[in-house]
Amino acid sequence: FKTIITRGSKSTLLISDKIEGFEVEKVNVVDTTGAGDAFNGALVFNLVNSLDLRECIKLANKVAGYTVQHDYVLPGILNLKNKEK
């Protein structure tokens, strides 16, 4: 049994037989709407593609951190793909 708790700009926690913290990058926050949805979507996408849970959390933190730097969540998600090219 594992639980993931996102704590906004503070960290993300993975709780299982122990508690592990995952730092989040400090960014210029514009709009937090949809950050949790972006985190969950990235987490599930990477889990389905067989990545390690800890790596999935790190990637999901990056996606959520990127989305909050834009007005509205959708433009941030769409631009993330372009940023990696």
Side-chain angles (χ1 to χ4, degrees), residues 24-37:
V24 295
E25 184 179 337
K26 302 294 181 206
V27 296
N28 181 33
V29 176
V30 175
D31 184 359
T32 61
T33 304
D37 294 327

Side-chain angles (χ1 to χ4, degrees), residues 29-64:
V29 176
V30 175
D31 184 359
T32 61
T33 304
D37 294 327
F39 177 93
N40 289 328
L43 181 74
V44 170
F45 175 83
N46 288 302
L47 284 171
V48 167
N49 286 289
S50 302
L51 285 167
D52 172 72
L53 176 59
R54 286 153 187 82
E55 190 62 28
C56 291
I57 292 170
K58 291 175 187 175
L59 291 168
N61 277 341
K62 287 183 181 185
V63 170

